[in-house]
């Protein structure tokens, strides 16, 4: 099914209003980014007519693009101002990466699966995102040579937040991640204040598993 750009624009506006605003996402940077970004470009052509629905979608390699609400919620929890350096764990389709890129200074994104990383990198470049770095690696280890990070977003679930990611969070920084097993996960927010880590649970969620050291599944 092929839809015109005008239809997709209307679908984006509807998505933001019905799935984000009505559920309490009020961060204007996030809402504006998700009104602009062509989410349908981040899924296979045969799924584009479903790209703005209230659900995740498969992107290959047993991975998914998260439902719009979860993308909006997680990004809004970071409280981005446009000045931050952000670490993203799990590039996936690159859609969450694009939302972060619209709302921050730089995004350093790590993807475990080379084919997904390359596809996301090419699409993000084609869409004009010059403030994104994508690399292949074990996201649980973070990106120590460019740490610390003002914000960290983890788009895969582990039994706890990997210690290297906590170590790479800057003073005053915020980290959001799903924590739990395959059946039950909690979206968790961490903040580093005066050298101490404060943690609070945000709500239930469901993500693909984090793979590698400090995770449920190991390479």
């Amino acid at each position: 099914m092929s839809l015109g750009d005008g239809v997709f624009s209307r679908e984006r506006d509807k998505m933001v209003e019905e799935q984000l605003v009505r559920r309490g996402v009020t961060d204007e940077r996030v809402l504006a980014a998700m009104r602009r970004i062509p989410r349908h470009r981040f899924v296979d052509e045969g799924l584009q007519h479903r790209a703005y629905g209230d659900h995740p979608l498969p992107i290959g390699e047993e991975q998914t693009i998260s439902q719009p609400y979860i993308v909006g919620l997680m990004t809004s929890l970071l409280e981005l101002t446009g000045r931050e350096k952000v670490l993203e764990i799990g590039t996936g389709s690159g859609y969450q990466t694009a939302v972060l890129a619209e709302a921050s200074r730089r995004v350093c994104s790590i993807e475990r699966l080379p084919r997904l990383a390359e596809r996301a990198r090419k699409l993000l470049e084609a869409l004009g995102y010059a403030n994104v770095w994508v690399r292949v690696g074990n996201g649980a280890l973070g990106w120590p040579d460019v740490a610390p990070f003002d914000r960290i977003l983890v788009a895969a679930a582990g039994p706890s937040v990997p210690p290297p990611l906590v170590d790479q969070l800057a003073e005053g920084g915020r980290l959001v991640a799903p924590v739990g097993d395959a059946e039950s996960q909690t979206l968790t927010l961490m903040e580093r204040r005066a050298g101490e880590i404060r943690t609070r649970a945000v709500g239930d969620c469901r993500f693909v598993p984090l793979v590698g050291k400090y995770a449920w599944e190991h390479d």
Side-chain angles (χ1 to χ4, degrees), residues 126-198:
L127 291 173
Y129 292 104
N131 62 333
V132 173
W133 298 343
V134 177
R135 83 172 191 184
V136 176
N138 178 1
L141 302 179
W143 201 324
D145 49 330
V146 291
F149 296 93
D150 305 301
R151 304 288 189 268
I152 299 176
L153 185 148
V154 185
S160 61
V161 177
L165 301 185
V166 179
D167 291 344
Q168 291 172 35
L169 185 64
E171 173 61 31
R174 297 168 72 90
L175 179 156
V176 61
V179 175
D181 56 30
E183 302 302 323
S184 177
Q185 300 164 13
T186 300
L187 195 60
T188 303
L189 174 66
M190 289 183 166
E191 298 180 79
R192 185 182 294 279
R193 294 287 182 268
E196 296 184 355
I197 296 293
R198 304 175 185 176

Side-chain angles (χ1 to χ4, degrees), residues 90-126:
T91 314
S93 69
Y95 178 71
Q96 172 74 80
T97 318
V99 177
L100 293 170
E102 292 260 357
S104 67
R105 176 174 58 86
R106 167 150 319 267
V107 181
C108 302
S109 187
I110 304 175
E111 172 55 52
R112 180 177 61 90
L113 300 167
R115 285 201 299 178
L116 289 185
E118 184 59 21
R119 187 167 67 188
R121 182 187 293 114
K122 288 181 177 179
L123 179 54
L124 290 164
E125 288 177 357

Side-chain angles (χ1 to χ4, degrees), residues 38 66 68 76 78 87 96 108 214 219:
S66 295
S76 67
L78 295 179
L87 174 64
Q96 172 74 80
C108 302
Y214 306 112
D219 289 325

Side-chain angles (χ1 to χ4, degrees), residues 23-112:
R23 290 178 181 167
V25 177
T26 60
D27 188 314
E28 285 300 329
R29 280 183 171 274
V30 176
L31 299 179
M34 294 181 71
R35 285 190 181 100
R36 283 192 298 267
I37 297 168
R39 181 176 165 90
H40 60 281
R41 295 281 301 276
F42 293 85
V43 300
D44 291 340
E45 187 174 354
L47 294 174
Q48 287 188 349
H49 65 290
R50 300 180 59 201
Y52 298 97
D54 188 19
H55 44 66
L57 288 171
I59 57 171
E61 307 272 353
E62 299 184 346
Q63 305 299 300
T64 61
I65 180 174
S66 295
Q67 75 182 104
Y69 171 68
I70 288 295
V71 172
L73 174 62
M74 291 181 74
T75 310
S76 67
L77 287 170
L78 295 179
E79 296 185 354
L80 295 167
T81 67
R83 298 188 296 270
E84 296 83 5
K85 179 172 64 175
V86 180
L87 174 64
E88 178 191 33
I89 307 304
T91 314
S93 69
Y95 178 71
Q96 172 74 80
T97 318
V99 177
L100 293 170
E102 292 260 357
S104 67
R105 176 174 58 86
R106 167 150 319 267
V107 181
C108 302
S109 187
I110 304 175
E111 172 55 52
R112 180 177 61 90

